[in-house]
Amino acid sequence: MSSILEFLNSHGSARKFTGQEITEEDEMTIVTTAERSPTSSNLHAYSIIGVREGATKLKLAELCGNQEHIAKSSLFLVFCADLYRLSQVAKEKDYRFSGEYTEMFIVATVDASLAACRALMTAQALGMGGVMVGGIRNNPEDVAELLNLPDLVYPVMGMSLGYPESEPKVKPRMPIAGIYLREKYSDASFQEAIRSFDKMIDDAGYLKGREVEPENYLDYTGEYSWSEHSARRMASEKPTVLRAHMREFLEKRGLLKK
Ligand SMILES: Cc1cc2nc3c(=O)[nH]c(=O)nc-3n(C[C@H](O)[C@H](O)[C@H](O)COP(=O)(O)O)c2cc1C
């Protein structure tokens, strides 16, 4: 048990890979173990697309905001929320289909995310490393075309996998009082947790070179802490940062209409 806990607590994302191939056997272990994840109402409302083709990975790297690790990964997985397969099941039975409801969008998105989490853990358990890629939603129309995604399917996240060049760093996390509340929600406990997390991140220098560009914060002279970074991130109204295209894209796919 302690080794499982040690393993779970040793997670760090990997973005640099040696180029060593991932065997087909390991690829199948990753996806079959991902499929053991819980799935809402046993609906299996997700699909995983495995990409090994160099040209496709190169294109995806560009579409995800020029993320080099995608092109250099041995295997790139795309986790899709998928209501299309279920729509085909309904069609076969000649039943109506409620794929346009927000709740169904949530069900499918959560299913895809749970599978993704387990896929990454499995790859790590097999000695590989990887990183989740929200950048897959930067240009979702192009991604959908490239991967031949039908309506009612959208890419929730990608995942670069490979053998890491070096042991990934274990990044600090917010003190537990910031995210775990007993019995009732209260914002009293997270204030202190945020202050100490600010210090941890600042001391570790994790945000050096990753500063969110000043918009109207030119007067700010304080430390560039996690809270400064996150507040700037959340203040941004840049369509690229907010992926403002997502709502229209999802509606066009037949999702989130009700
Ligand atoms: C849904 C999701 C999307 C992410 N997208 C990206 C991404 O596009 N590019 C990237 O380099 N890291 C991405 N990450 C990785 C996070 O930046 C990383 O998990 C976080 O900084 C914590 O670091 P750690 O995973 O090493 O502990 C993503 C993580 C999640 C959960």
Side-chain angles (χ1 to χ4, degrees):
M1 176 61 86
S2 72
S3 63
I4 292 180
L5 293 179
E6 251 169 57
F7 166 73
L8 291 174
N9 284 302
S10 69
H11 160 80
S13 294
R15 295 178 181 80
K16 289 215 155 89
F17 306 112
T18 60
Q20 186 186 330
E21 277 300 299
I22 291 176
T23 63
E24 213 173 298
E25 192 189 343
D26 282 347
E27 174 182 356
M28 292 322 289
T29 305
I30 292 167
V31 292
T32 50
T33 310
E35 204 201 2
R36 296 308 318 170
S37 305
T39 155
S40 190
S41 303
N42 208 9
L43 286 171
H44 294 64
Y46 68 98
S47 291
I48 309 168
I49 301 184
V51 180
R52 284 180 180 268
E53 248 277 316
T56 314
K57 282 189 294 183
L58 209 58
K59 186 70 195 161
L60 284 168
E62 183 197 321
L63 292 174
C64 293
N66 297 315
Q67 299 202 47
E68 210 183 327
H69 52 83
I70 298 174
K72 301 225 163 122
S73 66
S74 302
L75 176 66
F76 187 71
L77 299 177
V78 183
F79 292 84
C80 299
D82 184 349
L83 296 173
Y84 172 75
R85 191 170 49 242
L86 286 162
S87 77
Q88 296 307 294
V89 173
K91 195 171 162 191
E92 232 178 71
K93 313 272 175 203
D94 209 15
Y95 289 169
R96 72 168 303 283
F97 187 68
S98 303
E100 71 275 32
Y101 279 82
T102 299
E103 173 60 12
M104 291 316 301
F105 167 82
I106 294 170
V107 161
T109 305
V110 171
D111 266 15
S113 308
L114 293 175
C117 190
R118 201 167 285 208
L120 183 56
M121 280 164 45
T122 307
Q124 289 167 333
L126 292 168
M128 296 161 215
V131 61
M132 292 176 172
V133 179
I136 201 80
R137 301 186 305 274
N138 283 11
N139 294 287
E141 297 266 11
D142 294 336
V143 169
E145 196 184 321
L146 185 69
L147 302 179
N148 199 27
L149 305 183
D151 278 352
L152 297 170
V153 176
Y154 90 95
V156 177
M157 72 180 87
M159 187 179 293
S160 294
L161 293 174
Y163 286 88
E165 263 183 20
S166 54
E167 190 80 14
K169 285 206 176 94
V170 178
K171 271 195 201 169
R173 288 290 192 262
M174 184 174 294
I176 207 68
I179 59 118
Y180 183 63
L181 304 136
R182 288 209 164 97
E183 313 304 340
K184 276 189 173 118
Y185 198 94
S186 127
D187 60 5
S189 57
F190 67 63
Q191 301 296 352
E192 202 187 317
I194 289 171
R195 297 289 85 83
S196 54
F197 191 48
D198 274 349
K199 189 160 172 1
M200 276 189 243
I201 291 283
D202 193 44
D203 289 351
Y206 273 115
L207 294 171
K208 295 245 153 53
R210 303 191 53 222
E211 291 85 353
V212 175
E213 277 175 31
E215 286 180 30
N216 50 348
Y217 339 106
L218 288 166
D219 297 341
Y220 183 78
T221 52
E223 279 167 351
Y224 194 76
S225 59
W226 174 86
S227 54
E228 178 63 23
H229 180 79
S230 304
R232 286 189 189 189
R233 170 82 170 68
M234 295 306 294
S236 177
E237 287 194 285
K238 282 189 190 155
T240 46
V241 172
L242 295 170
R243 297 190 181 117
H245 49 264
M246 279 311 286
R247 192 176 175 95
E248 199 186 325
F249 166 74
L250 291 169
E251 281 185 8
K252 255 169 69 186
R253 306 241 107 204
L255 298 162
L256 264 187
K257 288 175 149 184
K258 281 192 182 163

